[in-house]
Amino acid sequence: MPLKNKDLLSIEDLDREAIEHIITTAESFKEVSTRDIKKVPALRGKTIINLFYEPSTRTRTSFELAGKRLSADVLNMSVSTSSVVKGETLLDTAKNIEAMNSDIIILRHPMSGAPAILASALKSSVINAGDGAHEHPTQALLDLLTIKEHLGATDGLKVAIVGDISHSRVARSNILCLKKMGAEVRVCGPATLIPKGIEDMGAEVYYRSDDALKGVDVIMMLRIQMERQGKGLFPGVREYARLFGLNHERVKLAKEGVLIMHPGPINRGVEISPEVADGPYSVILEQVTNGVAVRMAVLFLLSEGRA
Amino acid sequence: MSKVKARIMNREAIERALVRIAHEILERNKGTNDLALVGIRTGGVELARRLAENIKKIEGVDVPMGALDVTMYRDDLTRRKKHLPLGKTDINFPVDETKIVLVDDVLFTGRTIRAALGGLMDLGRPQHIQLAVLIDRGHKELPITADYVGKNVPTSRKEAVKVVLAEGGGEDEVLILAEEDGE
Amino acid sequence: MALLIQNGRVIDPARGLDEVMDILVEDGRITGSGKLSKPNKAEVVDATGKLVVPGLIDMHCHLREPGFEYKEDIRSGTLAASAGGFTTVCCMPNTKPVNDNRSVTEYIIKEAVRHGYCRVVPIGAITKGSEGLELSEMGDLSEAGCPAFSDDGRPVANAEVMRRALEYAKTFGLTIISHCEDTALSAGGVMNEGTVSTRLGLKGIPAAAEEVMVARDIALARLTGGRLHIAHVSTEGSVSLIRQAKRDGIGVTAETCPHYFSLTDERLMGYNTLFKVNPPLRTARDVEAVIEGLTDGTIDVIATDHAPHAASEKEVEFDLAPFGISGFETALALSLQLAHNNRLSLMDLLAKLTVNPAHALGMEPPSLNDGAAADITIIDPELVRTFEASSMLSKGKNTAFAGFTLKGWPVATVIGGRVCTTPGR
């Protein structure tokens, strides 16, 4: 089996071979979404639960479509804060779901490490759809698929990730994934948003975006997360946009044919200017398309051999 | 490792069978109008190519050709122990109203063909679907028969049939092997 | 009935004594030592091959009673402490209600006499409710039995209040035990800030959060001349600051806990809440600095900071789990590893668990001299055992050391002449 564990919790757990396999599988599933009948019976009769403790339309819809296109029964559970207030623990909620014979549980949770709790306690496969600031593995995989489709090989590729690195699970998963695939990763932001020890994960730290973007093949912009961070990490949106926002001039510093990526949703005019977001180098919408394909591949591969 | 028990077709035998099948296809379908060949991955793709070549030699027409990956349509995803890599489905012509000949190397239980029918019909509504196989080895589990057969070979369940087709010619052969490898 | 402890290796840090000899106990006091013959009616304990030392003192623990008896109470806590080789424990005042007044102190002492398995000395709160605003009635608390004060669990955030606390306590010659944590720097943090916390995506508590306040309290001790004791030292920076303060002649003592010289923050990979503690587990460099601090005397005391919790409280998302390690039952064995690894002599090590905590609290230093109270701990230094949570006597099974194989465990304690064989031996 290419995916050794029953769960997909982190890029940390995948080796290069497994990552490449998921990408190849995703390429096949991409074709299904272009047909008139966007469905294959591969996961017919399987029960997939989206258990989201954090609001998210994009990721949840993407997983839902992925499951449905594989003919699975997909249920969405948005856990409102009232369930938490009522005192039901994460583990109890998940055990209740498993008692209804779920096959796969997809968890998004505001606290790092939450999916690991479920994975060790449940028989169902658990997919991490984002836990706190820890990881968002399917995002990194769909980003990788997008890069591969445009630029081919990843070894030696220069990728810059710009934004609130310290609170970003997308940044962490991407750093791990790109490093495993042989790329060079730069992180850039004000020092207050760069976490201690990020160099030990393999990323080069830049505080000035004009330096970080020089000659890169891929630019990944992160959303400035107003709701997640505490106050005082940077003086305000205006200063941030001026120093780190991706505009036309900054794009010119990168290589010809650079890919502009963003996990969404975009704050137009803050971390990225509208003309760059909608411009010829932007592959932001392709990322969304690839998201469904990658998630189909992950659901498919996790189900293989597991009755 | 599987032991070779017998070699039931050599290169010439395969060539002759494929010429005959090409003629039969043209006869049954009264020519190449609306005709298309779809090879089932992976064993049927090269066969479909050779059939298309033969048809070209006979009628002078390039019949459209595609490849169908049925892994997503199989009914044994959670049960099977071996990993089957996913290939791409590559059909660039409209399936609607086309007379499709599905091509595979070995017809065994019929489940692969059933999956292929599902996959094909998700892509459109063919005029009809016929099936061409190089070897029919018996042990049907579903009511599926081939319209065109290269050779009927009675086998036991424990045996395996291996079709070797070197893409540029070379040592083509059909072998019967001692161990059942599973479908 | 008299008690004769025969043929043990007697180590008495108060006198620097290390010799094989017998010890005679009568009416709760030590009445003789040396090569003794068995008196007529006496209980005999054969201590051949064992260490016989003054009863160990834990100057920092949480017994949770009154108010949090579901986590631990005085009975179960002292039972666990006794199993850990302790004859005296000092419990912190962060109970419910907070021990900031005489009646709570008297309650604790009375409960301990009634149900306790070892002596309990309460530490009073520095401020009322440990709110960090108004000083508690230290004089009254001291008369009730508190030898020192702490708001442990929280720092005294306001420097002016801490200054006044040090000065006021000086009136009575009493010690202020400081939990050094700048809560603005540590806010929201759940583990050490560093490479591991970044990898795990968890908010970190920087070493500076501890060091900033260690520096502050040392400056205040210098200003006031008060007696300062720094609780649970965990970082390299803190050790340096304390070392310098001692060189400068400031009246400061310091303690650390076994987890700070045995574990690093790497343990947190995997999000195991049993390693979630405050101050947090730090880096290998900090661990080495703490051990150095123990070796050169910068750190005077080893205390447990025993912090029991109910199992269900720890079985939640990492961010939500309470801080704390249940430490009574492994403290001695972990400390002995320092001697086994030649980082510390047995004499020095045992001093950190006996005379030094007594000194820090202004209490009579324990000894095995004639006339001393018969509080004795007997240790088997060669006993090898793998520690399991299922064998724990504390209500709090939240040990960080499940599965650890350690050499050197307590086998019995004597309190006021009464022998208590360690349960399970």
Side-chain angles (χ1 to χ4, degrees), chain C residues 119-406:
Chain C
R119 299 186 199 276
V120 175
V121 174
I123 305 287
I126 297 174
T127 61
K128 293 195 176 129
S130 288
E131 302 267 297
L133 300 169
E134 285 177 57
L135 295 181
S136 64
E137 294 174 318
M138 291 189 199
D140 205 26
L141 282 166
S142 154
E143 277 173 30
C146 296
F149 304 93
S150 181
D151 278 351
D152 185 65
R154 298 154 124 177
V156 176
N158 185 312
E160 170 69 6
V161 173
M162 185 59 160
R163 175 210 175 139
R164 299 304 173 199
L166 282 163
E167 281 176 334
Y168 191 65
K170 199 167 82 162
T171 314
F172 314 97
L174 297 170
T175 304
I176 298 286
I177 301 174
S178 183
H179 167 113
C180 291
E181 179 189 346
D182 183 312
T183 49
L185 283 175
S186 68
V190 295
M191 65 169 287
N192 182 44
E193 181 176 329
T195 304
V196 180
S197 68
T198 292
R199 243 198 149 89
L200 293 175
L202 292 172
K203 185 141 203 304
I205 298 172
E210 177 175 303
E211 292 156 7
V212 153
M213 217 167 246
V214 168
R216 181 199 82 166
D217 289 348
I218 288 172
L220 293 175
R222 186 197 306 259
L223 173 64
T224 59
R227 289 179 68 152
L228 171 70
H229 176 85
I230 302 197
H232 43 50
V233 170
S234 72
T235 82
E236 185 182 12
S238 298
V239 174
S240 299
L241 287 164
I242 297 165
R243 186 177 283 127
Q244 187 57 48
K246 287 189 170 184
R247 283 200 195 118
D248 294 345
I250 298 175
V252 58
T253 53
E255 87 199 16
T256 191
C257 310
H259 34 279
Y260 302 120
F261 55 76
S262 312
L263 303 170
T264 67
D265 61 357
E266 294 272 333
R267 292 273 172 176
L268 278 311
M269 292 299 294
Y271 299 97
N272 189 339
T273 56
L274 294 174
F275 298 109
K276 184 175 177 182
V277 65
N278 190 21
L281 301 180
R282 304 277 189 190
T283 66
R285 261 184 80 146
D286 296 299
V287 170
E288 183 52 35
V290 165
I291 297 176
E292 284 282 322
L294 285 165
T295 308
D296 73 6
T298 302
I299 301 178
D300 313 80
V301 170
I302 294 173
T304 66
D305 197 3
H306 173 80
H309 291 290
S312 58
E313 292 180 299
K314 285 275 199 180
E315 284 165 3
V316 293
E317 296 88 307
F318 196 89
D319 284 341
L320 300 178
F323 293 95
I325 291 174
S326 177
F328 278 146
E329 297 165 78
T330 44
L332 178 60
L334 289 166
S335 303
L336 285 169
Q337 307 318 294
L338 291 172
H340 291 315
N341 296 334
N342 294 317
R343 301 306 304 262
L344 222 51
S345 69
L346 261 182
M347 182 73 73
D348 275 344
L349 177 69
L350 291 165
K352 300 202 195 278
L353 290 161
T354 53
V355 294
N356 293 2
H359 172 78
L361 294 168
M363 285 169 24
E364 185 72 33
S367 94
L368 297 174
N369 221 340
D370 288 5
D375 283 359
I376 304 169
T377 300
I378 302 175
I379 301 168
D380 183 347
E382 297 302 313
L383 178 62
V384 175
R385 192 184 146 214
T386 302
F387 188 72
E388 292 304 343
S390 51
S391 68
M392 291 173 79
L393 293 165
S394 166
K395 280 189 193 176
K397 313 292 181 201
N398 49 314
T399 174
F401 302 101
F404 274 57
T405 300
L406 300 167

Side-chain angles (χ1 to χ4, degrees), chain B residues 68-175:
Chain B
L68 180 67
D69 186 273
V70 301
T71 318
M72 297 179 205
Y73 287 87
R74 295 176 63 103
D75 58 5
D76 59 354
L77 175 64
T78 56
R79 261 174 285 247
R80 64 173 177 256
K81 294 188 183 52
K82 251 183 17 177
H83 166 66
L84 287 176
L86 220 56
K88 273 229 194 90
T89 287
D90 214 337
I91 295 180
N92 300 319
F93 50 86
V95 165
D96 287 345
E97 294 312 307
T98 308
K99 299 179 195 162
I100 296 203
V101 179
L102 271 177
V103 184
D104 204 2
D105 52 356
V106 179
L107 174 59
F108 184 23
T109 61
R111 290 182 192 270
T112 303
I113 307 302
R114 179 198 175 278
L117 291 174
L120 207 47
M121 294 205 278
D122 268 3
L123 295 171
R125 195 175 191 283
Q127 217 182 111
H128 66 224
I129 301 177
Q130 295 166 347
L131 175 63
V133 297
L134 185 61
I135 303 289
D136 181 345
R137 66 172 283 199
H139 300 287
K140 257 185 356 193
E141 288 173 8
L142 299 172
I144 287 176
T145 340
D147 301 278
Y148 313 99
V149 181
K151 190 178 175 74
N152 278 298
V153 181
T155 59
S156 93
R157 287 227 85 172
K158 287 207 215 76
E159 293 168 330
V161 175
K162 187 167 174 177
V163 173
V164 179
L165 293 174
E167 244 167 60
E171 276 324 298
D172 295 343
E173 56 187 357
V174 180
L175 305 168

